[in-house]
Amino acid sequence: MLVMRVCQVCDHVLGELELDDLTSGQQDSIINITGNVAYALCPDCMSELEVGEFRRLN
């Protein structure tokens, strides 16, 4: 199942994410899934909030 990735701060659409990618292996702790939307942070908001590079999403 595909979910849409959206930035939590600026609502910029980041793309789609396969739900199987989240359930198999390590889940990223900064992704918050609500319905069919996965909220994350875009690179611009991440840099403004001073989140480390290791937390960036692909």
PDB file of all heavy atoms in Angstrom, residues 8-34:
ATOM      1  N   GLN A   8       5.632  17.773   7.920  1.00  0.00           N
ATOM      2  CA  GLN A   8       4.793  18.163   9.053  1.00  0.00           C
ATOM      3  C   GLN A   8       4.745  19.672   9.242  1.00  0.00           C
ATOM      4  O   GLN A   8       3.767  20.193   9.740  1.00  0.00           O
ATOM      5  CB  GLN A   8       5.339  17.552  10.346  1.00  0.00           C
ATOM      6  CG  GLN A   8       5.011  16.116  10.528  1.00  0.00           C
ATOM      7  CD  GLN A   8       5.555  15.599  11.828  1.00  0.00           C
ATOM      8  OE1 GLN A   8       6.504  14.853  11.816  1.00  0.00           O
ATOM      9  NE2 GLN A   8       4.983  15.986  12.929  1.00  0.00           N
ATOM     10  N   VAL A   9       5.795  20.369   8.859  1.00  0.00           N
ATOM     11  CA  VAL A   9       5.907  21.795   9.141  1.00  0.00           C
ATOM     12  C   VAL A   9       5.310  22.641   8.022  1.00  0.00           C
ATOM     13  O   VAL A   9       4.464  23.493   8.258  1.00  0.00           O
ATOM     14  CB  VAL A   9       7.383  22.181   9.391  1.00  0.00           C
ATOM     15  CG1 VAL A   9       7.520  23.663   9.651  1.00  0.00           C
ATOM     16  CG2 VAL A   9       7.945  21.381  10.559  1.00  0.00           C
ATOM     17  N   CYS A  10       5.728  22.403   6.770  1.00  0.00           N
ATOM     18  CA  CYS A  10       5.325  23.281   5.665  1.00  0.00           C
ATOM     19  C   CYS A  10       4.325  22.634   4.709  1.00  0.00           C
ATOM     20  O   CYS A  10       3.934  23.254   3.725  1.00  0.00           O
ATOM     21  CB  CYS A  10       6.546  23.766   4.893  1.00  0.00           C
ATOM     22  SG  CYS A  10       7.394  22.459   3.969  1.00  0.00           S
ATOM     23  N   ASP A  11       3.921  21.395   4.943  1.00  0.00           N
ATOM     24  CA  ASP A  11       2.969  20.654   4.109  1.00  0.00           C
ATOM     25  C   ASP A  11       3.458  20.420   2.681  1.00  0.00           C
ATOM     26  O   ASP A  11       2.669  20.189   1.786  1.00  0.00           O
ATOM     27  CB  ASP A  11       1.601  21.345   4.078  1.00  0.00           C
ATOM     28  CG  ASP A  11       0.918  21.311   5.429  1.00  0.00           C
ATOM     29  OD1 ASP A  11       1.132  20.336   6.167  1.00  0.00           O
ATOM     30  OD2 ASP A  11       0.176  22.260   5.741  1.00  0.00           O
ATOM     31  N   HIS A  12       4.763  20.462   2.452  1.00  0.00           N
ATOM     32  CA  HIS A  12       5.340  20.163   1.142  1.00  0.00           C
ATOM     33  C   HIS A  12       5.248  18.658   0.904  1.00  0.00           C
ATOM     34  O   HIS A  12       5.580  17.860   1.775  1.00  0.00           O
ATOM     35  CB  HIS A  12       6.807  20.619   1.107  1.00  0.00           C
ATOM     36  CG  HIS A  12       7.497  20.346  -0.171  1.00  0.00           C
ATOM     37  ND1 HIS A  12       7.319  21.115  -1.286  1.00  0.00           N
ATOM     38  CD2 HIS A  12       8.359  19.359  -0.523  1.00  0.00           C
ATOM     39  CE1 HIS A  12       8.049  20.626  -2.267  1.00  0.00           C
ATOM     40  NE2 HIS A  12       8.694  19.558  -1.832  1.00  0.00           N
ATOM     41  N   VAL A  13       4.767  18.264  -0.275  1.00  0.00           N
ATOM     42  CA  VAL A  13       4.657  16.843  -0.608  1.00  0.00           C
ATOM     43  C   VAL A  13       6.044  16.314  -0.938  1.00  0.00           C
ATOM     44  O   VAL A  13       6.728  16.833  -1.813  1.00  0.00           O
ATOM     45  CB  VAL A  13       3.689  16.625  -1.787  1.00  0.00           C
ATOM     46  CG1 VAL A  13       3.660  15.163  -2.188  1.00  0.00           C
ATOM     47  CG2 VAL A  13       2.299  17.108  -1.425  1.00  0.00           C
ATOM     48  N   LEU A  14       6.464  15.268  -0.235  1.00  0.00           N
ATOM     49  CA  LEU A  14       7.803  14.698  -0.393  1.00  0.00           C
ATOM     50  C   LEU A  14       7.816  13.476  -1.296  1.00  0.00           C
ATOM     51  O   LEU A  14       8.884  12.976  -1.633  1.00  0.00           O
ATOM     52  CB  LEU A  14       8.379  14.327   0.971  1.00  0.00           C
ATOM     53  CG  LEU A  14       8.487  15.473   1.976  1.00  0.00           C
ATOM     54  CD1 LEU A  14       8.884  14.930   3.334  1.00  0.00           C
ATOM     55  CD2 LEU A  14       9.482  16.496   1.491  1.00  0.00           C
ATOM     56  N   GLY A  15       6.662  12.966  -1.658  1.00  0.00           N
ATOM     57  CA  GLY A  15       6.597  11.801  -2.525  1.00  0.00           C
ATOM     58  C   GLY A  15       5.754  10.700  -1.913  1.00  0.00           C
ATOM     59  O   GLY A  15       4.962  10.929  -1.006  1.00  0.00           O
ATOM     60  N   GLU A  16       5.931   9.504  -2.432  1.00  0.00           N
ATOM     61  CA  GLU A  16       5.196   8.346  -1.951  1.00  0.00           C
ATOM     62  C   GLU A  16       6.137   7.382  -1.249  1.00  0.00           C
ATOM     63  O   GLU A  16       7.336   7.368  -1.500  1.00  0.00           O
ATOM     64  CB  GLU A  16       4.516   7.627  -3.116  1.00  0.00           C
ATOM     65  CG  GLU A  16       3.465   8.451  -3.802  1.00  0.00           C
ATOM     66  CD  GLU A  16       2.868   7.719  -4.987  1.00  0.00           C
ATOM     67  OE1 GLU A  16       3.556   6.862  -5.581  1.00  0.00           O
ATOM     68  OE2 GLU A  16       1.727   8.026  -5.334  1.00  0.00           O
ATOM     69  N   LEU A  17       5.562   6.578  -0.386  1.00  0.00           N
ATOM     70  CA  LEU A  17       6.336   5.600   0.367  1.00  0.00           C
ATOM     71  C   LEU A  17       5.528   4.317   0.418  1.00  0.00           C
ATOM     72  O   LEU A  17       4.326   4.339   0.702  1.00  0.00           O
ATOM     73  CB  LEU A  17       6.589   6.135   1.781  1.00  0.00           C
ATOM     74  CG  LEU A  17       7.441   5.320   2.720  1.00  0.00           C
ATOM     75  CD1 LEU A  17       8.862   5.220   2.198  1.00  0.00           C
ATOM     76  CD2 LEU A  17       7.452   5.957   4.085  1.00  0.00           C
ATOM     77  N   GLU A  18       6.161   3.209   0.132  1.00  0.00           N
ATOM     78  CA  GLU A  18       5.501   1.912   0.200  1.00  0.00           C
ATOM     79  C   GLU A  18       5.385   1.522   1.670  1.00  0.00           C
ATOM     80  O   GLU A  18       6.366   1.557   2.412  1.00  0.00           O
ATOM     81  CB  GLU A  18       6.303   0.867  -0.574  1.00  0.00           C
ATOM     82  CG  GLU A  18       5.689  -0.503  -0.587  1.00  0.00           C
ATOM     83  CD  GLU A  18       4.381  -0.582  -1.352  1.00  0.00           C
ATOM     84  OE1 GLU A  18       4.270   0.065  -2.409  1.00  0.00           O
ATOM     85  OE2 GLU A  18       3.484  -1.294  -0.882  1.00  0.00           O
ATOM     86  N   LEU A  19       4.193   1.167   2.107  1.00  0.00           N
ATOM     87  CA  LEU A  19       3.972   0.820   3.512  1.00  0.00           C
ATOM     88  C   LEU A  19       4.816  -0.366   3.929  1.00  0.00           C
ATOM     89  O   LEU A  19       5.262  -0.454   5.057  1.00  0.00           O
ATOM     90  CB  LEU A  19       2.490   0.547   3.765  1.00  0.00           C
ATOM     91  CG  LEU A  19       2.076   0.398   5.221  1.00  0.00           C
ATOM     92  CD1 LEU A  19       2.409   1.649   6.009  1.00  0.00           C
ATOM     93  CD2 LEU A  19       0.610   0.084   5.336  1.00  0.00           C
ATOM     94  N   ASP A  20       5.090  -1.303   3.014  1.00  0.00           N
ATOM     95  CA  ASP A  20       5.935  -2.459   3.324  1.00  0.00           C
ATOM     96  C   ASP A  20       7.337  -2.027   3.721  1.00  0.00           C
ATOM     97  O   ASP A  20       8.004  -2.694   4.503  1.00  0.00           O
ATOM     98  CB  ASP A  20       6.005  -3.416   2.145  1.00  0.00           C
ATOM     99  CG  ASP A  20       4.658  -4.048   1.843  1.00  0.00           C
ATOM    100  OD1 ASP A  20       3.809  -4.090   2.752  1.00  0.00           O
ATOM    101  OD2 ASP A  20       4.461  -4.487   0.695  1.00  0.00           O
ATOM    102  N   ASP A  21       7.819  -0.886   3.179  1.00  0.00           N
ATOM    103  CA  ASP A  21       9.143  -0.380   3.535  1.00  0.00           C
ATOM    104  C   ASP A  21       9.212   0.014   5.006  1.00  0.00           C
ATOM    105  O   ASP A  21      10.261  -0.037   5.624  1.00  0.00           O
ATOM    106  CB  ASP A  21       9.518   0.832   2.683  1.00  0.00           C
ATOM    107  CG  ASP A  21       9.710   0.471   1.222  1.00  0.00           C
ATOM    108  OD1 ASP A  21       9.885  -0.733   0.926  1.00  0.00           O
ATOM    109  OD2 ASP A  21       9.673   1.387   0.389  1.00  0.00           O
ATOM    110  N   LEU A  22       8.087   0.426   5.570  1.00  0.00           N
ATOM    111  CA  LEU A  22       8.060   0.838   6.978  1.00  0.00           C
ATOM    112  C   LEU A  22       7.945  -0.338   7.925  1.00  0.00           C
ATOM    113  O   LEU A  22       8.444  -0.295   9.043  1.00  0.00           O
ATOM    114  CB  LEU A  22       6.877   1.790   7.229  1.00  0.00           C
ATOM    115  CG  LEU A  22       6.950   3.136   6.538  1.00  0.00           C
ATOM    116  CD1 LEU A  22       5.655   3.907   6.794  1.00  0.00           C
ATOM    117  CD2 LEU A  22       8.130   3.927   7.024  1.00  0.00           C
ATOM    118  N   THR A  23       7.248  -1.388   7.500  1.00  0.00           N
ATOM    119  CA  THR A  23       7.017  -2.507   8.402  1.00  0.00           C
ATOM    120  C   THR A  23       8.115  -3.552   8.349  1.00  0.00           C
ATOM    121  O   THR A  23       8.242  -4.354   9.247  1.00  0.00           O
ATOM    122  CB  THR A  23       5.662  -3.172   8.090  1.00  0.00           C
ATOM    123  OG1 THR A  23       5.650  -3.571   6.721  1.00  0.00           O
ATOM    124  CG2 THR A  23       4.517  -2.204   8.346  1.00  0.00           C
ATOM    125  N   SER A  24       8.924  -3.559   7.287  1.00  0.00           N
ATOM    126  CA  SER A  24      10.019  -4.523   7.193  1.00  0.00           C
ATOM    127  C   SER A  24      11.332  -3.836   7.540  1.00  0.00           C
ATOM    128  O   SER A  24      11.760  -2.939   6.840  1.00  0.00           O
ATOM    129  CB  SER A  24      10.096  -5.113   5.783  1.00  0.00           C
ATOM    130  OG  SER A  24      10.387  -4.104   4.851  1.00  0.00           O
ATOM    131  N   GLY A  25      11.915  -4.227   8.628  1.00  0.00           N
ATOM    132  CA  GLY A  25      13.183  -3.613   9.023  1.00  0.00           C
ATOM    133  C   GLY A  25      12.984  -2.502  10.038  1.00  0.00           C
ATOM    134  O   GLY A  25      12.032  -2.490  10.795  1.00  0.00           O
ATOM    135  N   GLN A  26      13.903  -1.568  10.016  1.00  0.00           N
ATOM    136  CA  GLN A  26      13.870  -0.493  11.003  1.00  0.00           C
ATOM    137  C   GLN A  26      12.989   0.656  10.527  1.00  0.00           C
ATOM    138  O   GLN A  26      13.160   1.180   9.440  1.00  0.00           O
ATOM    139  CB  GLN A  26      15.274   0.043  11.243  1.00  0.00           C
ATOM    140  CG  GLN A  26      16.197  -0.976  11.842  1.00  0.00           C
ATOM    141  CD  GLN A  26      17.586  -0.419  12.014  1.00  0.00           C
ATOM    142  OE1 GLN A  26      17.985   0.505  11.335  1.00  0.00           O
ATOM    143  NE2 GLN A  26      18.322  -1.001  12.932  1.00  0.00           N
ATOM    144  N   GLN A  27      12.049   1.034  11.370  1.00  0.00           N
ATOM    145  CA  GLN A  27      11.188   2.158  11.063  1.00  0.00           C
ATOM    146  C   GLN A  27      11.859   3.440  11.521  1.00  0.00           C
ATOM    147  O   GLN A  27      12.470   3.497  12.577  1.00  0.00           O
ATOM    148  CB  GLN A  27       9.858   1.996  11.764  1.00  0.00           C
ATOM    149  CG  GLN A  27       8.892   3.121  11.463  1.00  0.00           C
ATOM    150  CD  GLN A  27       7.534   2.863  12.085  1.00  0.00           C
ATOM    151  OE1 GLN A  27       7.291   1.783  12.590  1.00  0.00           O
ATOM    152  NE2 GLN A  27       6.688   3.838  12.050  1.00  0.00           N
ATOM    153  N   ASP A  28      11.749   4.498  10.722  1.00  0.00           N
ATOM    154  CA  ASP A  28      12.328   5.786  11.081  1.00  0.00           C
ATOM    155  C   ASP A  28      11.443   6.439  12.139  1.00  0.00           C
ATOM    156  O   ASP A  28      10.238   6.550  11.951  1.00  0.00           O
ATOM    157  CB  ASP A  28      12.432   6.676   9.850  1.00  0.00           C
ATOM    158  CG  ASP A  28      13.359   7.842  10.066  1.00  0.00           C
ATOM    159  OD1 ASP A  28      13.423   8.341  11.200  1.00  0.00           O
ATOM    160  OD2 ASP A  28      14.017   8.257   9.097  1.00  0.00           O
ATOM    161  N   SER A  29      12.021   6.876  13.228  1.00  0.00           N
ATOM    162  CA  SER A  29      11.241   7.400  14.343  1.00  0.00           C
ATOM    163  C   SER A  29      10.631   8.767  14.074  1.00  0.00           C
ATOM    164  O   SER A  29       9.769   9.198  14.815  1.00  0.00           O
ATOM    165  CB  SER A  29      12.110   7.470  15.603  1.00  0.00           C
ATOM    166  OG  SER A  29      13.177   8.370  15.380  1.00  0.00           O
ATOM    167  N   ILE A  30      11.062   9.457  12.994  1.00  0.00           N
ATOM    168  CA  ILE A  30      10.487  10.775  12.736  1.00  0.00           C
ATOM    169  C   ILE A  30       9.298  10.718  11.790  1.00  0.00           C
ATOM    170  O   ILE A  30       8.716  11.743  11.481  1.00  0.00           O
ATOM    171  CB  ILE A  30      11.537  11.781  12.208  1.00  0.00           C
ATOM    172  CG1 ILE A  30      12.048  11.370  10.840  1.00  0.00           C
ATOM    173  CG2 ILE A  30      12.646  11.967  13.190  1.00  0.00           C
ATOM    174  CD1 ILE A  30      12.892  12.439  10.178  1.00  0.00           C
ATOM    175  N   ILE A  31       8.912   9.537  11.330  1.00  0.00           N
ATOM    176  CA  ILE A  31       7.732   9.402  10.475  1.00  0.00           C
ATOM    177  C   ILE A  31       6.522   9.129  11.350  1.00  0.00           C
ATOM    178  O   ILE A  31       6.531   8.243  12.190  1.00  0.00           O
ATOM    179  CB  ILE A  31       7.909   8.267   9.449  1.00  0.00           C
ATOM    180  CG1 ILE A  31       9.017   8.618   8.469  1.00  0.00           C
ATOM    181  CG2 ILE A  31       6.613   8.025   8.696  1.00  0.00           C
ATOM    182  CD1 ILE A  31       9.276   7.548   7.443  1.00  0.00           C
ATOM    183  N   ASN A  32       5.471   9.922  11.130  1.00  0.00           N
ATOM    184  CA  ASN A  32       4.219   9.765  11.858  1.00  0.00           C
ATOM    185  C   ASN A  32       3.141   9.450  10.832  1.00  0.00           C
ATOM    186  O   ASN A  32       2.835  10.276   9.991  1.00  0.00           O
ATOM    187  CB  ASN A  32       3.901  11.058  12.612  1.00  0.00           C
ATOM    188  CG  ASN A  32       2.631  10.953  13.394  1.00  0.00           C
ATOM    189  OD1 ASN A  32       2.157   9.867  13.671  1.00  0.00           O
ATOM    190  ND2 ASN A  32       2.068  12.099  13.743  1.00  0.00           N
ATOM    191  N   ILE A  33       2.558   8.243  10.881  1.00  0.00           N
ATOM    192  CA  ILE A  33       1.580   7.830   9.880  1.00  0.00           C
ATOM    193  C   ILE A  33       0.176   8.054  10.414  1.00  0.00           C
ATOM    194  O   ILE A  33      -0.167   7.600  11.501  1.00  0.00           O
ATOM    195  CB  ILE A  33       1.756   6.355   9.496  1.00  0.00           C
ATOM    196  CG1 ILE A  33       3.148   6.159   8.898  1.00  0.00           C
ATOM    197  CG2 ILE A  33       0.677   5.909   8.524  1.00  0.00           C
ATOM    198  CD1 ILE A  33       3.474   4.729   8.590  1.00  0.00           C
ATOM    199  N   THR A  34      -0.634   8.779   9.632  1.00  0.00           N
ATOM    200  CA  THR A  34      -2.032   9.015   9.958  1.00  0.00           C
ATOM    201  C   THR A  34      -2.840   8.690   8.703  1.00  0.00           C
ATOM    202  O   THR A  34      -2.732   9.402   7.700  1.00  0.00           O
ATOM    203  CB  THR A  34      -2.289  10.481  10.368  1.00  0.00           C
ATOM    204  OG1 THR A  34      -1.429  10.806  11.457  1.00  0.00           O
ATOM    205  CG2 THR A  34      -3.727  10.697  10.755  1.00  0.00           C
TER     206      THR A  34
END
